[in-house]
Short mmCIF file of all heavy atoms in Angstrom, two decimals:
data_model
loop_
_atom_site.label_atom_id
_atom_site.label_comp_id
_atom_site.label_asym_id
_atom_site.label_seq_id
_atom_site.Cartn_x
_atom_site.Cartn_y
_atom_site.Cartn_z
N ALA A 1 69.83 -2.86 28.48
CA ALA A 1 70.66 -2.01 27.63
C ALA A 1 71.30 -2.81 26.50
O ALA A 1 71.39 -2.34 25.35
CB ALA A 1 71.74 -1.34 28.47
N LYS A 2 71.73 -4.02 26.82
CA LYS A 2 72.35 -4.88 25.80
C LYS A 2 71.36 -5.22 24.69
O LYS A 2 71.74 -5.44 23.54
CB LYS A 2 72.86 -6.16 26.47
CG LYS A 2 73.79 -7.00 25.60
CD LYS A 2 74.29 -8.23 26.36
CE LYS A 2 75.24 -7.84 27.48
NZ LYS A 2 75.82 -9.04 28.15
N ASN A 3 70.09 -5.25 25.03
CA ASN A 3 69.04 -5.55 24.04
C ASN A 3 68.40 -4.28 23.46
O ASN A 3 67.37 -4.35 22.79
CB ASN A 3 67.95 -6.41 24.68
CG ASN A 3 68.38 -7.86 24.85
OD1 ASN A 3 68.23 -8.68 23.96
ND2 ASN A 3 68.94 -8.17 26.02
N ASP A 4 69.04 -3.12 23.75
CA ASP A 4 68.54 -1.83 23.24
C ASP A 4 67.08 -1.60 23.63
O ASP A 4 66.25 -1.17 22.82
CB ASP A 4 68.69 -1.74 21.71
CG ASP A 4 70.15 -1.74 21.28
OD1 ASP A 4 70.96 -1.10 21.98
OD2 ASP A 4 70.46 -2.39 20.27
N MET A 5 66.77 -1.90 24.87
CA MET A 5 65.40 -1.74 25.37
C MET A 5 65.41 -0.98 26.67
O MET A 5 66.40 -1.01 27.43
CB MET A 5 64.74 -3.11 25.59
CG MET A 5 64.59 -3.95 24.34
SD MET A 5 63.88 -5.60 24.69
CE MET A 5 62.16 -5.15 25.02
N GLU A 6 64.30 -0.30 26.95
CA GLU A 6 64.10 0.29 28.26
C GLU A 6 63.85 -0.85 29.26
O GLU A 6 63.27 -1.87 28.90
CB GLU A 6 62.91 1.24 28.25
CG GLU A 6 63.15 2.52 27.46
CD GLU A 6 64.25 3.35 28.08
OE1 GLU A 6 64.27 3.50 29.33
OE2 GLU A 6 65.10 3.85 27.32
N PRO A 7 64.29 -0.66 30.52
CA PRO A 7 64.12 -1.74 31.50
C PRO A 7 62.70 -2.27 31.61
O PRO A 7 62.47 -3.48 31.65
CB PRO A 7 64.59 -1.11 32.81
CG PRO A 7 65.59 -0.10 32.38
CD PRO A 7 65.07 0.46 31.09
N ARG A 8 61.69 -1.37 31.62
CA ARG A 8 60.32 -1.83 31.79
C ARG A 8 59.87 -2.70 30.64
O ARG A 8 59.25 -3.76 30.84
CB ARG A 8 59.38 -0.62 31.93
CG ARG A 8 57.92 -1.02 32.15
CD ARG A 8 57.70 -1.63 33.52
NE ARG A 8 56.64 -2.61 33.54
CZ ARG A 8 55.96 -2.93 34.63
NH1 ARG A 8 56.23 -2.37 35.78
NH2 ARG A 8 55.01 -3.85 34.58
N ALA A 9 60.18 -2.30 29.42
CA ALA A 9 59.79 -3.10 28.25
C ALA A 9 60.52 -4.44 28.27
O ALA A 9 59.94 -5.48 27.93
CB ALA A 9 60.11 -2.34 26.97
N TYR A 10 61.78 -4.41 28.69
CA TYR A 10 62.56 -5.65 28.73
C TYR A 10 61.99 -6.63 29.75
O TYR A 10 61.80 -7.82 29.45
CB TYR A 10 64.02 -5.33 29.07
CG TYR A 10 64.87 -6.56 29.24
CD1 TYR A 10 65.34 -7.28 28.15
CD2 TYR A 10 65.19 -7.01 30.52
CE1 TYR A 10 66.11 -8.42 28.33
CE2 TYR A 10 65.95 -8.15 30.70
CZ TYR A 10 66.40 -8.85 29.60
OH TYR A 10 67.16 -9.99 29.78
N VAL A 11 61.70 -6.15 30.96
CA VAL A 11 61.20 -7.08 31.99
C VAL A 11 59.81 -7.59 31.63
O VAL A 11 59.47 -8.73 31.96
CB VAL A 11 61.21 -6.44 33.41
CG1 VAL A 11 62.63 -6.08 33.81
CG2 VAL A 11 60.28 -5.25 33.52
N ASP A 12 59.01 -6.77 30.96
CA ASP A 12 57.69 -7.25 30.50
C ASP A 12 57.87 -8.43 29.55
O ASP A 12 57.14 -9.44 29.64
CB ASP A 12 56.93 -6.14 29.79
CG ASP A 12 56.37 -5.09 30.74
OD1 ASP A 12 56.38 -5.33 31.97
OD2 ASP A 12 55.94 -4.03 30.25
N MET A 13 58.83 -8.30 28.63
CA MET A 13 59.07 -9.36 27.64
C MET A 13 59.56 -10.65 28.31
O MET A 13 59.01 -11.73 28.05
CB MET A 13 60.09 -8.89 26.62
CG MET A 13 60.49 -9.95 25.59
SD MET A 13 61.83 -9.42 24.50
CE MET A 13 63.25 -9.46 25.62
N ILE A 14 60.57 -10.54 29.17
CA ILE A 14 61.16 -11.75 29.78
C ILE A 14 60.20 -12.37 30.79
O ILE A 14 60.06 -13.60 30.86
CB ILE A 14 62.52 -11.44 30.42
CG1 ILE A 14 63.50 -10.90 29.38
CG2 ILE A 14 63.09 -12.70 31.07
CD1 ILE A 14 63.86 -11.87 28.28
N SER A 15 59.52 -11.55 31.57
CA SER A 15 58.57 -12.10 32.55
C SER A 15 57.49 -12.92 31.86
O SER A 15 57.09 -13.98 32.37
CB SER A 15 57.94 -10.96 33.36
OG SER A 15 57.02 -11.47 34.29
N SER A 16 57.03 -12.45 30.71
CA SER A 16 55.98 -13.18 29.99
C SER A 16 56.47 -14.56 29.56
O SER A 16 55.69 -15.51 29.48
CB SER A 16 55.51 -12.39 28.77
OG SER A 16 56.52 -12.31 27.78
N ARG A 17 57.76 -14.69 29.33
CA ARG A 17 58.31 -16.00 28.95
C ARG A 17 58.30 -16.97 30.13
O ARG A 17 58.09 -18.17 29.96
CB ARG A 17 59.74 -15.84 28.42
CG ARG A 17 59.83 -15.06 27.11
CD ARG A 17 61.22 -15.14 26.54
NE ARG A 17 61.38 -14.27 25.38
CZ ARG A 17 62.51 -14.14 24.68
NH1 ARG A 17 63.58 -14.85 25.04
NH2 ARG A 17 62.58 -13.33 23.66
N PHE A 18 58.53 -16.45 31.33
CA PHE A 18 58.47 -17.31 32.51
C PHE A 18 57.04 -17.76 32.79
O PHE A 18 56.80 -18.91 33.15
CB PHE A 18 59.07 -16.60 33.73
CG PHE A 18 60.57 -16.64 33.76
CD1 PHE A 18 61.31 -15.60 33.22
CD2 PHE A 18 61.25 -17.71 34.29
CE1 PHE A 18 62.70 -15.63 33.23
CE2 PHE A 18 62.63 -17.76 34.32
CZ PHE A 18 63.36 -16.70 33.79
N ASP A 19 56.09 -16.85 32.60
CA ASP A 19 54.69 -17.23 32.77
C ASP A 19 54.29 -18.26 31.72
O ASP A 19 53.57 -19.23 32.01
CB ASP A 19 53.81 -15.98 32.65
CG ASP A 19 52.41 -16.19 33.20
OD1 ASP A 19 52.18 -17.18 33.91
OD2 ASP A 19 51.54 -15.36 32.91
N ALA A 20 54.78 -18.08 30.49
CA ALA A 20 54.49 -19.04 29.42
C ALA A 20 55.09 -20.41 29.74
O ALA A 20 54.49 -21.45 29.43
CB ALA A 20 55.03 -18.52 28.09
N LEU A 21 56.27 -20.42 30.37
CA LEU A 21 56.88 -21.69 30.76
C LEU A 21 56.01 -22.41 31.79
O LEU A 21 55.84 -23.64 31.71
CB LEU A 21 58.29 -21.46 31.33
CG LEU A 21 59.00 -22.70 31.85
CD1 LEU A 21 59.25 -23.71 30.73
CD2 LEU A 21 60.33 -22.32 32.52
N CYS A 22 55.46 -21.68 32.74
CA CYS A 22 54.56 -22.29 33.73
C CYS A 22 53.41 -23.00 33.03
O CYS A 22 53.06 -24.14 33.37
CB CYS A 22 54.01 -21.24 34.68
SG CYS A 22 55.22 -20.53 35.81
N LYS A 23 52.83 -22.33 32.06
CA LYS A 23 51.70 -22.92 31.34
C LYS A 23 52.14 -24.11 30.51
O LYS A 23 51.45 -25.15 30.46
CB LYS A 23 51.05 -21.85 30.45
CG LYS A 23 50.35 -20.74 31.24
CD LYS A 23 49.78 -19.68 30.33
CE LYS A 23 48.93 -18.68 31.10
NZ LYS A 23 49.68 -17.91 32.11
N ALA A 24 53.31 -24.00 29.86
CA ALA A 24 53.80 -25.10 29.01
C ALA A 24 54.11 -26.35 29.83
O ALA A 24 53.94 -27.47 29.36
CB ALA A 24 55.05 -24.66 28.25
N LEU A 25 54.55 -26.17 31.08
CA LEU A 25 54.88 -27.29 31.95
C LEU A 25 53.64 -27.87 32.65
O LEU A 25 53.75 -28.88 33.34
CB LEU A 25 55.89 -26.86 33.01
CG LEU A 25 57.32 -26.60 32.54
CD1 LEU A 25 58.12 -25.89 33.63
CD2 LEU A 25 58.02 -27.90 32.13
N GLY A 26 52.50 -27.23 32.49
CA GLY A 26 51.29 -27.71 33.16
C GLY A 26 51.30 -27.41 34.64
O GLY A 26 50.72 -28.16 35.44
#
């Protein structure tokens, strides 16, 4: 809500960042 997003769209965005971190860390 603070980011003016629906929960599903928000979690899709943030989850992808955690997956990207896994890849960045090897």
Side-chain angles (χ1 to χ4, degrees):
K2 193 178 291 184
N3 284 273
D4 295 321
M5 298 177 73
E6 290 297 316
R8 181 70 210 204
Y10 175 77
V11 299
D12 285 348
M13 176 186 72
I14 300 296
S15 179
S16 68
R17 295 190 187 180
F18 280 93
D19 196 14
L21 176 63
C22 291
K23 292 177 172 63
L25 288 168

